[in-house]
Amino acid sequence: MEHRTDAAKLRARKEHHLTITYRYHKLSQYHMKLAMIFYDHSLPRSSLILCDWALTAMLNALYIKKNNMLAPKRFFPMEDLLHLLHSETSPALDVVIFIGTIQYLASDMEREQVSKMKKKNVNRLLRRTDEILYLLSTKITDDPSKLYQSIF
């Protein structure tokens, strides 16, 4: 009898993790929609902060999916990113470097520099973030209806 309760607890925990994973996944979509709105209103810093939040949300979803445990983070250090994204077929170094760049640009240290960026360069960052979110999304779900939807 106790064995069945353990199995039920394990099943409930997996379902809870799937729910949380889906919520993080959806949150990244909302952040990117907002990032585009801020971009359209010529607010590059706010737009890049939302890109950072979208990437963090998707990374949290991927972390939960891969490790089957909750450990939401506000910041992923480079070493954690390499461990999370690296695979035999894709070392993902360019993705890790890009995520680190977005984290840096969204930080307070680059406030003045970001406000001086040309709109086309901010657009490039938004597009690359969008591409990476789709790529990460494919590692989380196989269901085409649940994949990240491009904002472009």
Side-chain angles (χ1 to χ4, degrees):
M1 185 86 169
E2 190 173 313
H3 179 63
R4 287 185 182 179
T5 352
D6 289 342
K9 285 180 184 177
L10 184 61
R11 198 169 30 258
R13 179 198 262 162
K14 272 190 164 184
E15 286 176 20
H16 178 67
H17 288 171
L18 282 173
T19 302
I20 299 299
T21 299
Y22 176 71
R23 287 181 182 167
Y24 273 121
H25 191 272
K26 199 157 187 72
L27 183 62
S28 69
Q29 187 79 58
Y30 291 139
H31 285 321
M32 284 306 289
K33 286 180 181 178
L34 283 172
M36 198 62 187
I37 291 169
F38 280 94
Y39 170 78
D40 289 340
H41 285 89
S42 299
L43 296 165
R45 185 161 189 281
S46 300
S47 186
L48 292 178
I49 288 170
L50 285 160
C51 285
D52 180 40
W53 291 357
L55 287 165
T56 301
M58 191 67 79
L59 289 168
N60 274 310
L62 183 60
Y63 182 89
I64 293 166
K65 168 97 177 181
K66 276 192 165 185
N67 298 302
N68 199 26
M69 59 195 260
L70 298 177
K73 297 182 177 192
R74 287 280 303 129
F75 179 79
F76 283 85
M78 288 287 191
E79 188 174 337
D80 290 354
L81 287 172
L82 282 169
H83 180 71
L84 184 62
L85 301 175
H86 180 77
S87 70
E88 292 299 317
T89 58
S90 171
L93 291 176
D94 61 325
V95 173
V96 171
I97 291 168
F98 180 81
I99 292 170
T101 301
I102 291 293
Q103 289 173 340
Y104 180 70
L105 290 172
S107 72
D108 277 339
M109 293 182 281
E110 284 300 308
R111 179 177 291 191
E112 191 174 316
Q113 186 69 23
V114 170
S115 65
K116 294 178 183 176
M117 285 179 80
K118 292 180 181 177
K119 196 164 182 167
K120 71 176 184 176
N121 291 331
V122 176
N123 184 277
R124 286 181 185 152
L125 293 171
L126 280 167
R127 285 184 183 277
R128 184 65 179 136
T129 301
D130 192 63
E131 292 168 5
I132 289 171
L133 288 170
Y134 179 79
L135 173 75
L136 296 176
S137 178
T138 62
K139 295 180 180 198
I140 295 168
T141 183
D142 295 330
D143 183 350
S145 69
K146 293 183 179 178
L147 286 173
Y148 172 84
Q149 301 297 309
S150 176
I151 58 170
F152 292 98

